[in-house]
Structures are given as C-alpha cells and as structure tokens.
Amino acid sequence: MTWQPPTALLAGLSLPGPDPAHVALPRLHQLVRERQHPVQHAAKVLGTTVEAIRHVLDEHPAPAPPLTKNAARATGRIRQQARQAIPAERFTQLYRDGHRTLQQIAILTGFSRRVLTDLAKEYDIPLREGPQDYKRRGTVERDWLIEQYVHRRRTLPDLARETGMSTANMARWAHTHNIPLRPRGGASHHTALRTADEAEGHPAVLRKALTGPYARQRLSRFLAARTYPTLTEAARDLGIHQSTLVIQINRLEADFGQPLLVRAERGMAMKLTRFGKRVVAAARKIPAEGARGHEMIAS
C-alpha cells in the first residue's frame, strides 16, 4: 500500500495555481460541447488553466447530451432496421459462432457498434469482455459437453464456471464439436446433432453449412437462385419473399465464412464467386437420397 498524507493538512494553506473546486460544473459541461478544442475553450472562458479543467473533467466527466426528439426517432428507426437485417439467429451466428468482433459486424452490416451493442442486449447475447475472452483455457471433450449441455440441459454459464473459463469460450467449444446451441424455438438438440453427424459424409467444403436447422433448405434455395440475374427475380419464381431468400443466403455465407454471390448492381446480373462455384460443384456430388431436407438440392 502507498501512504498518502490526509487532505486536512492542506487546510488553510495558500497553494499555487487555480482551485479546481471553484469551477462551475454545469457551465463547464456546457462549454466542452461547444467547440472543436473544448478544454482550451473552457479554460479561457472560465479564466483558469487547461490543467485545472482536465482535473475537473477527470473527476466529473460531462454526461452525454440528451437526445433530441428527431434523434430519438432516428435511433428508433435505425434499431428497427437493424432488427430486420440482423435477427437474433444471424447475430448469434456472426458474433458467437463466427467469432467476429462488433467492429467487423459493423463493417459487414453498415450499423454502428452502438446499435449492435444495444441489439446484443435486446437479444440477451453476452458480449465478450476483451481479448482474454478469446483464449481457451483447458480442453472440453465432446462427449462430456453433450452429456452436460444436451442431455442434462445445463447452461453454458454453469458449465463455464465449473471449468474455469468464460461463457464465450464454452460456446466456442460447442461450435468446435458441432454441438448446436439451444436456439429460441429452433429444432431439438437430437435433430440438430443428427444433422451434424450426417454432414460428415458430405464433401468437406459443404460441412460448415450443413450442421444447423434448415441448412439443406438454405443450400437448396441458393442453388436454385444462382441462375437468376437478381435475388428479387429468384424469390418471385421460388414463391418466397425476397427478404427470406436474402436472409437465407446471408446465413449460408456466414456459415461458410465466404461470399457465394456477387450481388447484382447497376444493370449487372449477379454471379457466382469462385468459392460459390466450388460449393455448387460439391453440392452436385450429394446423392439424391442424401440431398433431401425440406427441399431437394437443385443440380
């Protein structure tokens, strides 16, 4: 421990420099929002030094300004757009299963980290605490995790505490072992595990995207849509909403970790990426009896 003299010893002493206690906080907080160089501006207006202003702000940071009505409405609209573009399943896939950072998701989706943070809280998705959360501590065996998480229905935080690791690390072990996490209203663990086991018999390039609920349907619709000039036309002919098709193909691309299509723009029809062509070629090798999910995989 470090000894510090009691502040009472300073009582009555005439110390050099301005007294930060004499700075009016409401006025200071107002001034620091007004200029490009707020600290220097506030020091000049209040007749004190930059050091005194910095000391006061360290002790009493300026609170965030209240949202105007227009800003509040805009924030609500942006949040609604984010919910539609990144539903809970996709957020989980990108952040927890895909191990992307909020900054990477922000670049991918066009929404700010602030919006994504609020969305994670709304979806009850725990955010990683920092770089240390990426470090795996110890080994988690697949059989043990299936027994504890799938059969005994224990939670990831409970298992993480028992093994001395973070919840995010435990989720990554589940992903490593192809153990689907419990989704809201999704397929049962037994169905999902059976799907994961069946995927082992398919071409390696496809396995990442064939372990979750409705995976075959997503792959089937991608294969059917690839020949159209736009996803809008593909969705119309397939008899589904465009947003449904877009979400399914986005999910496939997130599962694979690579884009499958170059989207149509400025009169240019969409086309397969090099990786997308590999996926199409691999999908054609799946036997007809193994290609049935909710739909047949198109050739």
Side-chain angles (χ1 to χ4, degrees):
M1 297 180 61
T2 303
W3 180 84
Q4 293 181 345
T7 55
L9 294 178
L10 303 177
L13 295 181
S14 178
L15 301 176
D19 185 356
H22 293 161
V23 175
L25 283 177
R27 178 62 173 149
L28 171 60
H29 290 164
Q30 177 187 0
L31 289 171
V32 295
R33 296 193 185 107
E34 292 180 354
R35 296 294 180 92
Q36 185 176 1
H37 302 291
V39 174
Q40 292 87 340
H41 171 62
K44 182 177 180 181
V45 172
L46 297 175
T48 187
T49 64
V50 168
E51 289 73 17
I53 294 297
R54 285 176 176 158
H55 173 78
V56 175
L57 289 175
D58 283 343
E59 296 292 327
H60 307 281
L67 290 176
T68 64
K69 289 184 179 180
N70 288 338
R73 282 196 293 268
T75 301
R77 286 196 297 270
I78 291 172
R79 179 83 67 84
Q80 180 61 26
Q81 291 171 359
R83 288 192 199 100
Q84 293 174 349
I86 322 172
E89 183 185 37
R90 175 146 170 79
F91 198 115
T92 299
Q93 181 65 34
L94 292 172
Y95 183 75
R96 190 167 62 189
D97 300 340
H99 313 315
R100 287 181 170 86
T101 65
L102 287 183
Q103 183 61 35
Q104 290 171 330
I105 299 174
I107 294 172
L108 179 66
T109 63
F111 295 102
S112 70
R113 288 187 59 181
R114 173 69 179 274
V115 170
L116 295 175
T117 299
D118 292 341
L119 210 57
K121 292 179 181 177
E122 182 178 320
Y123 291 156
D124 198 24
I125 297 174
L127 296 179
R128 292 186 287 265
E129 297 177 359
Q132 71 277 6
D133 227 1
Y134 288 94
K135 298 177 181 177
R136 290 182 176 171
R137 298 177 181 177
T139 300
V140 175
E141 298 295 336
R142 186 174 193 268
D143 290 344
W144 178 84
L145 191 52
I146 289 176
E147 173 64 25
Q148 300 298 322
Y149 182 66
V150 179
H151 300 310
R152 298 191 181 183
R153 306 289 295 176
R154 293 177 64 187
T155 65
L156 289 182
D158 184 25
L159 298 176
R161 283 192 295 271
E162 180 175 321
T163 54
M165 63 176 61
S166 69
T167 301
N169 281 337
M170 187 60 67
R172 277 191 283 278
W173 275 114
H175 179 70
T176 298
H177 294 317
N178 284 331
I179 299 174
L181 299 180
R182 286 192 281 268
R184 297 176 180 177
S188 70
H189 269 109
H190 298 289
T191 299
L193 282 169
R194 186 173 63 250
T195 302
D197 291 338
E198 290 172 353
E200 292 299 317
H202 295 320
V205 70
L206 300 178
R207 291 173 193 164
K208 281 186 177 180
L210 290 180
T211 56
Y214 308 109
R216 296 185 183 283
Q217 184 190 67
R218 289 191 288 270
L219 183 59
S220 174
R221 286 181 172 170
F222 157 68
L223 294 170
R226 77 185 192 278
T227 58
Y228 289 85
T230 67
L231 290 179
T232 301
E233 294 177 58
R236 184 179 62 241
D237 282 5
L238 292 173
I240 59 177
H241 290 294
Q242 179 195 5
S243 60
T244 299
L245 182 60
V246 170
I247 288 172
Q248 288 188 318
I249 291 179
N250 285 346
R251 167 66 186 272
L252 262 185
E253 292 179 324
D255 287 346
F256 281 124
Q258 298 188 53
L260 299 168
L261 294 167
V262 177
R263 305 300 199 265
E265 61 176 7
R266 297 182 182 178
M268 300 289 290
M270 70 178 181
K271 61 182 181 180
L272 290 168
T273 63
R274 181 178 299 178
F275 180 72
K277 293 177 181 178
R278 287 182 58 200
V279 169
V280 171
R284 287 174 173 165
K285 298 177 182 178
I286 298 179
E289 64 273 13
R292 291 187 176 90
H294 291 270
E295 299 176 6
M296 289 289 293
I297 293 183
S299 62

